[in-house]
Amino acid sequence: MTEVPAQLPLNIRWNDAASLEQFVAGANGRALAAVRQLVAGPGAPAVYLYGPEGVGKSHLLQAACRACGHLGLPSFYLPLASAWSPAMLDGLESMRLVALDDLQELAGDPGREEAVFHLYNRLRDTGGGLLMAATARPADLDWVLPDLASRLAWGLVERMEPLDDASLLQALRLRAERRGLDLPEETGRYLLARYPRHSHALFALLERLDRAALAEQRRLTIPFVKSVLGQR
Amino acid sequence: MDGAVWQYCLERLEGEIPDQQLNTWIRPLQAVEDASQLRLLAPNRFVLDWVREHYIARIEELVDQHGAGRARQVILDIGSSGSPATAGRKAPTSVAPQQGAGVVSSSNINPRFTFDTFVEGKSNQLARAACTQVADNPGGSYNPLFLYGGVGLGKTHLMHAIGNVMLQKNPNAKVLYLHSERFVGDMVKALQHNAINEFKRHYRSADALLIDDIQFFAGKERSQEEFFHTFNALLEGQQQVVLTCDRYPKEVDGLEERLKSRFGWGLTVAIEPPELETRVAILMSKAAQEGIDLPDEVAFFIGKRIWSNIRELEGALRRVIANAQFTGSPITVDFTKEALKDLLALQDKLVTVENIQKTVAEYFKIRVSDLLSKRRSRSITRPRQLAMALSKELTSHSLPEIGDAFGGRDHTTVLHACRKVVELRESDPRIAEDYANLLRTLTT
């Protein structure tokens, strides 16, 4: 068998795909454990993660799908903030895992709430797992369908917290490493002290630094970071 | 073949397609491969179309690469290769037949939902009794049996319990449990595939047809029509029909009158939210099923704070157990308080004795000072007793504390009030309604 290397489009450096192994849990160990358990097999009928933006909810959802893929099991990820129609949920009961992101977008839309409610029931029948993420706990969202609300509260509901300094630095450095970048600890601390501590924002920053470092063939020293991002 | 071709493709695609796209469009595909073809099964048309449009060319390239000159056809289809829960690491080798007529014969009865695992209390006693009657004598006088009540109170559990008894007595009995959505879906598929006769035969040959949440029939006229005929055929054949709904049948909007009236031909029973003692018993039984020794005081702590429905109760218990397993801590009241902190925050804030007094006074159009006074006219004592009973039910205050909060009364007075209210709720439907209304106002 001859292997022809895959043709990588130059603008995609995607190596930082989410995985459970690389997830920096910090205070979110329980959420990680719940997700691992859901991937491993049917336990709780569903797992519902909630917390503010940028605490790693989407990361965990994507990583769970990846973990299923590596077990040879089908999974499906859908961010509900995107445009979607209830027909996209048809047949998903054959998945080992369905991951629904941005669940807060669902509350208040009767047709879509009903579609998710029916999916929930079908997954219960087949034994498939349902993993959900939202910015608020089930009781704080305005559901039209009490049937759905009660089912959401039935599963395991776990709160996710923002990472503390040490964990955030670890996550940032790990993320850099996966992109083949060396982010020295001082540079990491410099970034944490001056930029929004929101993980999405920090990872976007890393993306900019990565491109600049690649273009100029430089290492991520503080002076170089300053020159790219401007003085702060 | 062990899925090597698709595994090869996946590994390559993981390096080419961003994570989110991969998880939405590629990971849901189930592969079935042999020497001449790779069959990719998508869960629905959306995924199928998207893959066909964006990824199929690349997948074909990869399959060719893997085959190193040996041609293998790539076929995209809608379907599934088996049950995801039981699928192992190996790629499945057989394909379930496409559900042509959309009629599946499995009974779907969950063996875990039995009468033995159902925790009985005042709130569900009647419903349980009716169900055991039906299970022992299906197609008899309670036909149809119509169970109604709020979400998460055990209607589905009772339905399955009936099915389990029937199957135990006669393993060949055709007992069909399904959610109303499934009935609608099957009918639509049958119409599409010109298989409506098969659909009719399937449902009309059931020894028992158990349909959950019939409120979802609302507004679906064609389904109601079909269900009406199925329903009549079953009743005529003395085959058992059991239905559940989240409200009294007459109150469902968008349901045909003739259906509503027929639903009342057999027996209609309500399930009420469980009272404290039942909630505690449910928690203990649930914990025991998980092999967890739940201390009484913890069960009371949770049961006192979560009253709206059983699912929420079980969700809270699930959180406590998961937390205890994660940290290796013993389950104590303090531990539970901490574990449920964010889930209970809202509820703790809302329900105080003061709040209950205010709500009850408003409801009966009297003053809070009347509730606290020594006046003993019926128009004051009933509301006072209700307020006391609600205080015991909804707060964690002790009887003496509640007595104090009601103008310095003795704890035996409070105890008497609680007992009186239990008695009255059974004998006087108006008091039962007042209590239910107040409970709802205070807890939602």
Side-chain angles (χ1 to χ4, degrees):
Chain A
M1 179 175 19
T2 50
E3 283 203 5
V4 181
Q7 301 200 335
L8 266 171
L10 282 176
N11 60 341
I12 296 180
R13 296 167 51 95
W14 73 280
N15 287 349
D16 47 1
S19 78
L20 291 177
E21 294 72 28
Q22 306 249 24
F23 182 72
V24 176
N28 298 317
R30 290 196 330 247
L32 177 63
V35 170
R36 280 190 190 280
Q37 216 160 44
L38 195 65
V39 169
V47 172
Y48 181 110
L49 307 175
Y50 78 95
E53 295 263 331
V55 293
K57 301 187 296 295
S58 301
H59 182 121
L60 272 184
L61 262 57
Q62 306 254 17
C65 289
R66 185 185 176 86
C68 281
H70 291 176
L71 293 171
L73 300 170
S75 59
F76 178 79
Y77 171 84
L78 186 65
L80 300 185
S82 64
W84 63 282
S85 82
M88 274 186 84
L89 305 186
D90 285 353
L92 293 184
E93 61 275 16
S94 66
M95 297 293 107
R96 174 64 198 88
L97 180 86
V98 175
L100 301 178
D101 210 346
D102 310 318
L103 214 72
Q104 69 279 359
E105 299 290 329
L106 185 68
D109 181 334
R112 291 180 179 193
E113 278 190 25
E114 194 178 325
V116 170
F117 167 70
H118 293 319
L119 173 64
Y120 186 107
N121 291 330
R122 296 198 307 269
L123 281 168
R124 277 293 277 168
D125 288 345
T126 57
L130 182 59
L131 177 58
M132 297 165 285
T135 50
R137 53 187 192 152
D140 289 337
L141 294 170
D142 286 324
W143 303 102
V144 182
L145 217 60
D147 312 72
L148 177 64
S150 86
R151 276 166 179 78
L152 297 180
W154 194 14
L156 185 57
V157 178
E158 287 289 1
R159 181 185 154 80
M160 290 182 68
E161 312 278 350
L163 292 181
D164 61 17
D165 264 14
S167 305
L168 204 53
L169 185 63
Q170 191 194 347
L172 199 60
R173 296 190 68 194
L174 204 61
R175 188 89 165 193
E177 191 186 308
R178 266 148 55 199
R179 306 178 71 109
L181 265 178
D182 178 40
L183 179 69
E185 193 171 327
E186 327 69 88
T187 313
R189 289 197 190 284
Y190 173 86
L191 290 174
L192 284 187
R194 286 165 185 78
Y195 290 90
R197 304 162 49 79
H198 185 288
S199 63
H200 297 177
L202 282 171
F203 293 152
L205 213 61
L206 199 62
E207 169 90 32
R208 269 176 73 193
L209 290 172
D210 186 10
R211 285 173 192 276
L214 193 69
E216 298 182 30
Q217 295 294 312
R218 291 277 303 271
R219 289 186 305 116
L220 293 183
T221 58
I222 293 180
F224 175 66
V225 167
K226 276 184 186 165
S227 74
V228 175
L229 302 175
Q231 196 82 31
R232 281 248 178 172
Chain B
M1 277 290 156
D2 58 356
V5 182
W6 181 235
Q7 208 52 48
Y8 174 88
C9 295
L10 264 182
E11 279 163 23
R12 302 298 173 291
L13 292 172
E14 278 187 2
E16 301 173 17
I17 303 175
D19 226 14
Q20 183 174 326
Q21 261 84 38
L22 195 80
N23 288 331
T24 305
W25 307 114
I26 304 295
R27 296 216 193 273
L29 300 175
Q30 291 173 273
V32 182
E33 49 190 76
D34 61 27
S36 65
Q37 65 176 39
L38 170 67
R39 221 176 133 206
L40 293 175
L41 300 169
N44 57 51
R45 175 139 313 272
F46 261 91
V47 173
L48 179 102
D49 288 347
W50 193 273
V51 172
R52 177 165 287 153
E53 198 174 321
H54 294 90
Y55 303 119
I56 197 69
R58 180 63 186 144
I59 292 173
E60 279 168 348
E61 259 173 53
L62 289 169
V63 168
D64 283 348
Q65 270 176 28
H66 181 268
R70 270 207 4 244
R72 195 183 255 115
Q73 208 186 350
V74 179
I75 297 169
L76 261 181
D77 231 334
I78 294 177
S80 138
S81 56
S83 158
T86 51
R89 282 161 183 273
K90 279 187 185 171
T93 49
S94 67
V95 183
Q98 281 272 60
Q99 295 174 13
V103 176
V104 179
S105 56
S106 73
S107 72
N108 268 335
I109 296 291
N110 185 334
R112 287 182 303 135
F113 289 161
T114 63
F115 286 118
D116 288 341
T117 56
F118 187 83
V119 177
E120 190 178 341
K122 285 215 157 56
S123 56
N124 58 33
Q125 223 162 28
L126 203 60
R128 186 187 189 278
C131 289
T132 49
Q133 283 280 327
V134 165
D136 289 337
N137 183 21
S141 45
Y142 296 160
N143 202 12
L145 174 62
F146 193 101
L147 300 170
Y148 75 96
V151 296
L153 301 182
K155 302 187 294 289
T156 303
H157 187 136
L158 282 175
M159 244 185 176
H160 283 278
I162 295 176
N164 276 314
V165 171
M166 287 183 68
L167 287 172
Q168 204 176 14
K169 287 187 172 169
N170 174 12
N172 296 321
K174 186 172 172 186
V175 182
L176 298 180
Y177 164 84
L178 63 156
H179 194 267
S180 60
E181 185 230 4
R182 175 71 175 275
F183 186 88
V184 175
D186 278 3
M187 192 200 69
V188 171
K189 269 189 220 156
L191 287 171
Q192 283 167 353
H193 293 87
N194 250 333
I196 197 73
N197 285 328
E198 201 181 317
F199 171 88
K200 287 179 178 168
R201 246 195 324 275
H202 177 67
Y203 283 110
R204 293 179 193 185
S205 64
D207 294 303
L209 180 61
L210 321 174
I211 300 198
D212 218 346
D213 281 339
I214 58 116
Q215 69 270 19
F216 287 101
F217 276 144
K220 295 174 179 129
E221 282 155 29
R222 183 72 178 84
S223 301
Q224 286 184 31
E225 166 91 26
E226 203 47 59
F227 181 66
F228 178 75
H229 295 302
T230 304
F231 183 89
N232 287 339
L234 289 170
L235 250 53
E236 255 166 51
Q238 294 190 317
Q239 294 139 285
Q240 182 68 42
V241 176
V242 183
L243 305 169
T244 72
C245 188
D246 66 348
R247 65 207 94 161
Y248 191 65
K250 299 249 187 279
E251 291 171 11
V252 184
D253 294 330
L255 209 57
E256 282 182 46
E257 282 307 319
R258 57 178 184 171
L259 270 180
K260 288 187 191 175
S261 79
R262 269 177 173 69
F263 289 161
W265 282 5
L267 180 67
T268 303
V269 255
I271 299 194
E272 302 287 339
E275 64 283 11
L276 178 64
E277 285 72 16
T278 311
R279 297 201 296 273
V280 169
I282 290 170
L283 287 166
M284 303 291 270
S285 138
K286 218 47 214 182
Q289 281 173 41
E290 304 272 320
I292 303 283
D293 194 15
L294 192 69
D296 283 1
E297 63 271 21
V298 172
F300 270 94
F301 177 85
I302 302 174
K304 281 241 174 199
R305 281 160 185 79
I306 294 178
W307 47 76
S308 52
N309 68 61
I310 298 167
R311 283 202 194 97
E312 225 166 286
L313 208 57
E314 291 185 0
L317 180 65
R318 209 185 296 284
R319 159 84 76 95
V320 172
I321 293 176
N323 240 325
Q325 282 169 347
F326 184 74
T327 56
S329 316
I331 300 178
T332 62
V333 170
D334 282 341
F335 176 82
T336 305
K337 209 181 270 179
E338 183 61 26
L340 297 179
K341 199 170 55 185
D342 58 312
L343 293 184
L344 295 176
L346 191 72
Q347 294 164 350
D348 266 354
K349 192 174 64 203
L350 274 178
V351 185
T352 59
V353 173
E354 226 181 356
N355 198 339
I356 292 170
Q357 290 170 338
K358 200 168 143 269
T359 309
V360 171
E362 271 168 19
Y363 184 88
F364 288 103
K365 300 190 174 48
I366 55 177
R367 288 187 303 259
V368 172
S369 58
D370 292 333
L371 289 177
L372 309 187
S373 72
K374 303 281 172 213
R375 289 179 54 194
R376 304 186 59 156
S377 67
R378 175 69 69 86
S379 63
I380 302 294
T381 48
R382 278 287 175 273
R384 187 184 292 136
Q385 285 168 339
L386 277 165
M388 285 178 174
L390 285 163
S391 300
K392 175 175 175 271
E393 180 81 12
L394 299 180
T395 73
S396 43
H397 292 296
S398 64
L399 294 176
E401 281 169 347
I402 295 172
D404 279 348
F406 280 82
R409 287 181 157 77
D410 193 68
H411 80 274
T412 54
T413 311
V414 183
L415 190 63
H416 172 75
C418 295
R419 288 186 177 145
K420 188 78 190 167
V421 168
V422 168
E423 199 185 297
L424 286 170
R425 279 170 62 200
E426 270 173 65
S427 59
D428 185 343
R430 274 182 41 215
I431 301 264
E433 204 191 317
D434 289 340
Y435 185 86
N437 289 342
L438 283 163
L439 195 66
R440 205 176 314 125
T441 313
L442 285 163
T443 57
T444 51

Short mmCIF file of all heavy atoms in Angstrom, two decimals, chain A residues 50-82:
data_model
loop_
_atom_site.label_atom_id
_atom_site.label_comp_id
_atom_site.label_asym_id
_atom_site.label_seq_id
_atom_site.Cartn_x
_atom_site.Cartn_y
_atom_site.Cartn_z
N TYR A 50 -23.41 23.59 32.11
CA TYR A 50 -23.71 25.01 31.94
C TYR A 50 -22.63 25.86 32.59
O TYR A 50 -21.94 25.42 33.51
CB TYR A 50 -25.10 25.35 32.47
CG TYR A 50 -25.18 25.48 33.96
CD1 TYR A 50 -25.06 26.72 34.59
CD2 TYR A 50 -25.39 24.36 34.76
CE1 TYR A 50 -25.14 26.84 35.97
CE2 TYR A 50 -25.46 24.47 36.12
CZ TYR A 50 -25.34 25.72 36.73
OH TYR A 50 -25.40 25.83 38.08
N GLY A 51 -22.51 27.07 32.08
CA GLY A 51 -21.51 27.98 32.61
C GLY A 51 -21.32 29.11 31.64
O GLY A 51 -21.83 29.05 30.51
N PRO A 52 -20.60 30.16 32.03
CA PRO A 52 -20.41 31.31 31.14
C PRO A 52 -19.62 30.94 29.90
O PRO A 52 -19.06 29.85 29.80
CB PRO A 52 -19.65 32.30 32.02
CG PRO A 52 -19.07 31.50 33.13
CD PRO A 52 -19.94 30.31 33.33
N GLU A 53 -19.60 31.84 28.95
CA GLU A 53 -18.83 31.65 27.71
C GLU A 53 -17.36 31.42 28.03
O GLU A 53 -16.82 32.01 28.96
CB GLU A 53 -18.90 32.93 26.86
CG GLU A 53 -20.27 33.27 26.35
CD GLU A 53 -20.48 32.76 24.94
OE1 GLU A 53 -19.47 32.68 24.21
OE2 GLU A 53 -21.63 32.45 24.59
N GLY A 54 -16.74 30.58 27.22
CA GLY A 54 -15.29 30.45 27.32
C GLY A 54 -14.78 29.60 28.46
O GLY A 54 -13.63 29.71 28.86
N VAL A 55 -15.63 28.75 29.06
CA VAL A 55 -15.13 27.87 30.12
C VAL A 55 -14.80 26.48 29.58
O VAL A 55 -14.35 25.62 30.34
CB VAL A 55 -16.12 27.74 31.31
CG1 VAL A 55 -16.25 29.06 32.03
CG2 VAL A 55 -17.48 27.25 30.83
N GLY A 56 -15.04 26.26 28.28
CA GLY A 56 -14.64 24.97 27.70
C GLY A 56 -15.79 24.02 27.41
O GLY A 56 -15.57 22.83 27.21
N LYS A 57 -17.01 24.53 27.37
CA LYS A 57 -18.17 23.66 27.11
C LYS A 57 -18.11 23.06 25.70
O LYS A 57 -18.22 21.85 25.53
CB LYS A 57 -19.48 24.45 27.27
CG LYS A 57 -19.67 25.06 28.66
CD LYS A 57 -21.05 25.68 28.83
CE LYS A 57 -21.32 26.86 27.91
NZ LYS A 57 -20.46 28.04 28.18
N SER A 58 -17.90 23.93 24.71
CA SER A 58 -17.85 23.44 23.33
C SER A 58 -16.69 22.48 23.14
O SER A 58 -16.80 21.48 22.44
CB SER A 58 -17.73 24.59 22.35
OG SER A 58 -18.81 25.46 22.50
N HIS A 59 -15.59 22.82 23.79
CA HIS A 59 -14.42 21.94 23.72
C HIS A 59 -14.79 20.53 24.17
O HIS A 59 -14.49 19.55 23.48
CB HIS A 59 -13.31 22.51 24.61
CG HIS A 59 -12.04 21.70 24.58
ND1 HIS A 59 -10.84 22.23 24.19
CD2 HIS A 59 -11.80 20.41 24.89
CE1 HIS A 59 -9.91 21.28 24.25
NE2 HIS A 59 -10.47 20.17 24.68
N LEU A 60 -15.47 20.44 25.30
CA LEU A 60 -15.83 19.12 25.82
C LEU A 60 -16.79 18.39 24.88
O LEU A 60 -16.68 17.18 24.67
CB LEU A 60 -16.48 19.24 27.20
CG LEU A 60 -15.53 19.25 28.39
CD1 LEU A 60 -16.31 19.28 29.70
CD2 LEU A 60 -14.62 18.02 28.36
N LEU A 61 -17.72 19.12 24.30
CA LEU A 61 -18.68 18.49 23.38
C LEU A 61 -17.97 17.93 22.15
O LEU A 61 -18.20 16.79 21.73
CB LEU A 61 -19.75 19.51 22.96
CG LEU A 61 -21.08 19.46 23.74
CD1 LEU A 61 -20.85 19.63 25.22
CD2 LEU A 61 -22.07 20.49 23.23
N GLN A 62 -17.10 18.76 21.59
CA GLN A 62 -16.37 18.33 20.39
C GLN A 62 -15.44 17.15 20.72
O GLN A 62 -15.32 16.20 19.95
CB GLN A 62 -15.53 19.48 19.86
CG GLN A 62 -16.32 20.74 19.61
CD GLN A 62 -16.57 21.00 18.15
OE1 GLN A 62 -16.41 20.11 17.32
NE2 GLN A 62 -16.95 22.21 17.83
N ALA A 63 -14.81 17.27 21.88
CA ALA A 63 -13.88 16.22 22.28
C ALA A 63 -14.61 14.90 22.50
O ALA A 63 -14.08 13.83 22.20
CB ALA A 63 -13.14 16.63 23.55
N ALA A 64 -15.84 14.98 23.01
CA ALA A 64 -16.63 13.76 23.24
C ALA A 64 -16.93 13.08 21.91
O ALA A 64 -16.85 11.86 21.79
CB ALA A 64 -17.92 14.10 23.99
N CYS A 65 -17.24 13.88 20.88
CA CYS A 65 -17.50 13.31 19.56
C CYS A 65 -16.25 12.64 19.02
O CYS A 65 -16.30 11.55 18.45
CB CYS A 65 -17.95 14.40 18.58
SG CYS A 65 -19.59 15.03 18.93
N ARG A 66 -15.14 13.31 19.22
CA ARG A 66 -13.88 12.75 18.76
C ARG A 66 -13.59 11.41 19.45
O ARG A 66 -13.17 10.44 18.81
CB ARG A 66 -12.77 13.76 19.06
CG ARG A 66 -11.41 13.40 18.54
CD ARG A 66 -10.43 14.47 19.04
NE ARG A 66 -9.07 14.16 18.67
CZ ARG A 66 -8.54 14.51 17.52
NH1 ARG A 66 -9.26 15.16 16.64
NH2 ARG A 66 -7.28 14.21 17.25
N ALA A 67 -13.84 11.39 20.77
CA ALA A 67 -13.58 10.16 21.52
C ALA A 67 -14.46 9.02 20.99
O ALA A 67 -14.01 7.88 20.87
CB ALA A 67 -13.85 10.39 23.01
N CYS A 68 -15.72 9.34 20.67
CA CYS A 68 -16.60 8.31 20.09
C CYS A 68 -16.03 7.83 18.77
O CYS A 68 -16.01 6.62 18.49
CB CYS A 68 -18.00 8.88 19.85
SG CYS A 68 -18.98 8.95 21.33
N GLY A 69 -15.58 8.79 17.95
CA GLY A 69 -15.02 8.44 16.65
C GLY A 69 -13.88 7.45 16.80
O GLY A 69 -13.75 6.49 16.03
N HIS A 70 -13.05 7.66 17.83
CA HIS A 70 -11.91 6.78 18.01
C HIS A 70 -12.31 5.41 18.53
O HIS A 70 -11.54 4.47 18.48
CB HIS A 70 -10.87 7.46 18.90
CG HIS A 70 -10.23 8.61 18.19
ND1 HIS A 70 -9.32 9.46 18.77
CD2 HIS A 70 -10.39 9.07 16.92
CE1 HIS A 70 -8.95 10.38 17.89
NE2 HIS A 70 -9.59 10.17 16.76
N LEU A 71 -13.53 5.31 19.04
CA LEU A 71 -14.04 3.99 19.43
C LEU A 71 -14.81 3.35 18.28
O LEU A 71 -15.41 2.29 18.43
CB LEU A 71 -14.98 4.12 20.63
CG LEU A 71 -14.35 4.56 21.95
CD1 LEU A 71 -15.42 4.86 22.99
CD2 LEU A 71 -13.42 3.48 22.47
N GLY A 72 -14.83 4.04 17.14
CA GLY A 72 -15.57 3.51 15.98
C GLY A 72 -17.07 3.67 16.12
O GLY A 72 -17.85 2.94 15.51
N LEU A 73 -17.51 4.62 16.95
CA LEU A 73 -18.94 4.81 17.18
C LEU A 73 -19.40 6.15 16.59
O LEU A 73 -18.68 7.14 16.68
CB LEU A 73 -19.24 4.79 18.68
CG LEU A 73 -18.85 3.50 19.40
CD1 LEU A 73 -18.96 3.67 20.91
CD2 LEU A 73 -19.73 2.35 18.94
N PRO A 74 -20.59 6.18 15.99
CA PRO A 74 -21.04 7.40 15.34
C PRO A 74 -21.51 8.45 16.36
O PRO A 74 -22.07 8.11 17.39
CB PRO A 74 -22.23 6.93 14.50
CG PRO A 74 -22.76 5.73 15.22
CD PRO A 74 -21.57 5.07 15.86
N SER A 75 -21.25 9.71 16.05
CA SER A 75 -21.69 10.80 16.92
C SER A 75 -22.03 12.00 16.06
O SER A 75 -21.69 12.04 14.87
CB SER A 75 -20.60 11.16 17.92
OG SER A 75 -19.43 11.55 17.22
N PHE A 76 -22.68 12.97 16.67
CA PHE A 76 -23.16 14.11 15.91
C PHE A 76 -23.09 15.35 16.79
O PHE A 76 -23.50 15.32 17.95
CB PHE A 76 -24.62 13.86 15.48
CG PHE A 76 -25.25 14.99 14.71
CD1 PHE A 76 -24.98 15.16 13.36
CD2 PHE A 76 -26.13 15.86 15.34
CE1 PHE A 76 -25.58 16.19 12.64
CE2 PHE A 76 -26.74 16.89 14.62
CZ PHE A 76 -26.45 17.05 13.27
N TYR A 77 -22.56 16.44 16.23
CA TYR A 77 -22.45 17.68 16.98
C TYR A 77 -23.25 18.77 16.30
O TYR A 77 -23.13 18.94 15.09
CB TYR A 77 -20.97 18.10 17.06
CG TYR A 77 -20.75 19.47 17.62
CD1 TYR A 77 -20.71 19.67 19.01
CD2 TYR A 77 -20.59 20.58 16.80
CE1 TYR A 77 -20.51 20.93 19.54
CE2 TYR A 77 -20.40 21.85 17.32
CZ TYR A 77 -20.36 22.02 18.69
OH TYR A 77 -20.17 23.27 19.21
N LEU A 78 -24.07 19.47 17.05
CA LEU A 78 -24.84 20.56 16.44
C LEU A 78 -24.86 21.78 17.36
O LEU A 78 -25.35 21.72 18.48
CB LEU A 78 -26.29 20.10 16.18
CG LEU A 78 -27.16 21.09 15.41
CD1 LEU A 78 -26.65 21.30 13.99
CD2 LEU A 78 -28.61 20.62 15.38
N PRO A 79 -24.31 22.91 16.87
CA PRO A 79 -24.44 24.15 17.64
C PRO A 79 -25.81 24.76 17.33
O PRO A 79 -26.08 25.11 16.17
CB PRO A 79 -23.29 25.01 17.11
CG PRO A 79 -22.88 24.41 15.81
CD PRO A 79 -23.53 23.08 15.64
N LEU A 80 -26.66 24.89 18.33
CA LEU A 80 -28.03 25.35 18.07
C LEU A 80 -28.09 26.85 17.76
O LEU A 80 -29.14 27.37 17.39
CB LEU A 80 -28.94 25.01 19.25
CG LEU A 80 -29.05 23.52 19.58
CD1 LEU A 80 -30.07 23.29 20.69
CD2 LEU A 80 -29.45 22.71 18.36
N ALA A 81 -26.96 27.54 17.92
CA ALA A 81 -26.94 28.96 17.56
C ALA A 81 -26.86 29.11 16.05
O ALA A 81 -27.12 30.19 15.51
CB ALA A 81 -25.75 29.64 18.23
N SER A 82 -26.52 28.05 15.34
CA SER A 82 -26.45 28.13 13.88
C SER A 82 -27.85 27.92 13.31
O SER A 82 -28.78 27.62 14.04
CB SER A 82 -25.52 27.04 13.36
OG SER A 82 -26.05 25.77 13.67
#
